[in-house]
Structure formats: C-alpha cells, structure tokens
Amino acid sequence: MYYLRDATDAAALCAALEDARRLVVVGGGVIGLEVAAAAATRGVEVVVLEAAPRVLSRGVPAAVSRWIQRLHESHGVVVCTSIGPAAVLRSEGGAVTGVQLADGTVAPADAVVVGVGIVPRDGLARAAGLAVDDGILIDPSGRTSQPNVFAAGDAVRTRDPGETPGIRLESFTAAGRQGEVAAHTVLGEDDAFTDVPWWWSDQYDATVQAMGTAPAGALQEALDVPSGLIVLSMIGDRLVAACGATHGPGIARAVRAAGPVIAAKARLDLDAVHATAGDLAGLAALLRAAVRPH
Ligand SMILES: Cc1cc2nc3c(=O)[nH]c(=O)nc-3n(C[C@H](O)[C@H](O)[C@H](O)COP(=O)(O)OP(=O)(O)OC[C@H]3O[C@@H](n4cnc5c(N)ncnc54)[C@H](O)[C@@H]3O)c2cc1C
C-alpha cells in the first residue's frame, strides 16, 4: 500500500509501478487523479474509488468534475464514485491482491495508493495552547491566538473576517506567501494574506486550474471553450471563482485573469461573457477590462 506525501513515497511508488499491472487508487482528489493519470499513461490498469458522488468535489464545480472523469475514462481508467474500500486483500505471503469495495465487489490490484486523509499536523500548536480548529488559526497577518507566535502553510486556517469561512489552503503558492506575510509582520512591516486561492493540476495532456472559492449558493455559469470548459461562479454580479479544464494549457490565461476580478470584487457582465462565445483570449481580455479603471 502506498501513500504520496514526499519524495521517498514517490520513489517507492514509481518502483512499484514498474511491475504492477493493476492499481487501485483510493481517493479521486488531486493526488489520486494525478497518480491515476501517471499510472494509466504507463499502461497500468487503474481503478479509482471515490467516496463522494464526484471526483475532485472539494475543488471544482460539478461540470468540471464530469469533464475530468470522462478524461480519465477515455484513458481506460475505471472511476467508481459514491463508494469506498472495505478491505485490502492480501495473499498468504502478504502481497496485495485487491481491494474489496463497500458493496462486496473486488477490484483486483497489485498495488494500492491511498490518496486521502490529509490532516493538519497541529500537535505542537495544541501543546503550546494555540487556538486550533481544523488547522492552526491565524489572522491575515499570520498571527496565531498568541500574538508572538506565527504560523503558515498547509497546517493553518485563516480566521476570515469576510463573508466566507476561512479554509485550509493546501497549495505551495499559499504556503509560500503566508510565510512571507508572517516574516513581514515579525519585522514590523504591514502585510496581509488576502490572496485569492489558486491551484492547478496537470493530468494526461489536460490542464485544470481553479481561482477563488465558490460558497454554496453561488450561481455557476459553464461555458464551452475550445477543447474544454470554464465555470464562472457568481454571487450576484460579482465573480467569486473561476475553474476550467482544457486539453493543453489553453485555460490558464483566462483563469489567471479572473484573479484580480475576484480580489477587487469587481462587477462582471455575464451577457458580455457569453458574447465571447467561449473564445479564451476574448474572455481573458474581458476579465482584464473588468478591473481596468474606466
Ligand atoms: C504529492 C503532492 C503533490 C502536490 N502537488 C502540488 C501542486 O502541484 N501544486 C501545489 O500548489 N501544491 C501541491 N502540493 C501541496 C504542497 O506540497 C503543500 O501545499 C506545501 O508543501 C505546504 O507547505 P508547508 O510548508 O505548509 O508544508 P510542508 O511542505 O509539508 O513542510 C512542512 C515541513 O515541516 C516539517 N515539520 C513538521 N512538524 C515539525 C516540527 N514539529 N518541527 C520541525 N519540523 C516539522 C515537516 O517534516 C516538513 O518538512 C502537493 C502535495 C503533495 C503531497
């Protein structure tokens, strides 16, 4: 059974995939799907088990989940949703032979990758008496509940004074910037972590990118774009998130252009969005214009 947390794990998994013919991946999140893509590309038969009704459900809108699932299926990956593993089956010698699913069926496997279960390592913070609630709580300047103690990275959750509850951001762009903000604050410089969350994933020839977070109830406008789609999440006439996927890197520019619009809480005219007819350069230009002084 393999996990993928660091370079040693990656090396062990690569070695296992040299011989494995069948792989079961537990978890259809970013790590599970990237492993599935890498293994399928090497010719390994892959089954992905996802407990939620759709893959990448924490990070992308439903339309993008469907697109990504179809992408994997087109490469021969079997994606099972709303189901999890009941047991890992082993031979008498202890080698993995398969995974029994919660409905009793068995997915044969020579190797299993577990891509679920990230929990913040907050023991030190708890022992130090810092406020912890699904992550070490920090304010936008990086301060924990003890004003002289700072924290940054995957293990923190920002106490968000805005309308959305703070979330833990598990990406290195956020981790790096939070560290920088904490350092500036320690040095007495004014700085705050207010960055719009952004992440990406490359699977096969496809690029998935997401900017911002869409609270429940946001209106989701899906647009077909050349060889993919983009979903814009709106609260009223404000863009709060943009997420898309394309074969090739085509989606990147439009999603990146959404960042300043989301940060500025600028208005976005959906009629004008639809008038771009999915032309990504036109959409990116429209997004840039939304934050340009008139
Ligand atoms: C397989 C994989 C793929 C990823 N791909 C991407 C990607 O494509 N894009 C992206 O943005 N992000 C990606 N991430 C997430 C990204 O790696 C993390 O968001 C980022 O590394 C978080 O930085 P960090 O400093 O908070 O934690 P880490 O990078 O985990 O660093 C924390 C360090 O602190 C050490 N440590 C822990 N406790 C203690 C202690 N008590 N005392 C001293 N040291 C301690 C740990 O050993 C570790 O070295 C990926 C993660 C994984 C696992």
Side-chain angles (χ1 to χ4, degrees), residues 22 74 104 118-119 141 169 197 221 226 238:
R22 292 170 302 192
S74 73
I118 289 182
V119 279
S141 70
L169 300 169
E221 286 284 321
R238 274 196 302 130

Side-chain angles (χ1 to χ4, degrees), residues 99-188:
V99 174
Q100 184 169 7
L101 278 56
D103 65 2
T105 55
V106 171
D110 312 309
V112 177
V113 174
V114 180
V116 298
I118 289 182
V119 279
R121 193 181 290 176
D122 58 14
L124 184 63
R126 283 180 190 276
L130 306 181
V132 172
D133 175 11
D134 183 28
I136 303 160
L137 295 176
I138 57 166
D139 70 13
S141 70
R143 277 200 169 83
T144 66
S145 56
Q146 295 290 331
N148 292 328
V149 181
F150 295 80
D154 280 9
V156 308
R157 186 157 76 89
T158 312
R159 286 182 301 234
D160 190 339
E163 63 262 50
T164 53
I167 54 171
R168 274 189 299 110
L169 300 169
E170 292 152 6
S171 70
F172 63 69
T173 42
R177 175 73 184 124
Q178 286 169 343
E180 190 178 73
V181 167
H184 286 157
T185 310
V186 169
L187 293 170

Side-chain angles (χ1 to χ4, degrees), residues 59-74:
V60 307
V64 178
S65 289
R66 284 193 293 273
W67 193 94
I68 293 168
Q69 179 166 342
R70 281 198 301 271
L71 170 74
H72 280 269
E73 288 167 348
S74 73

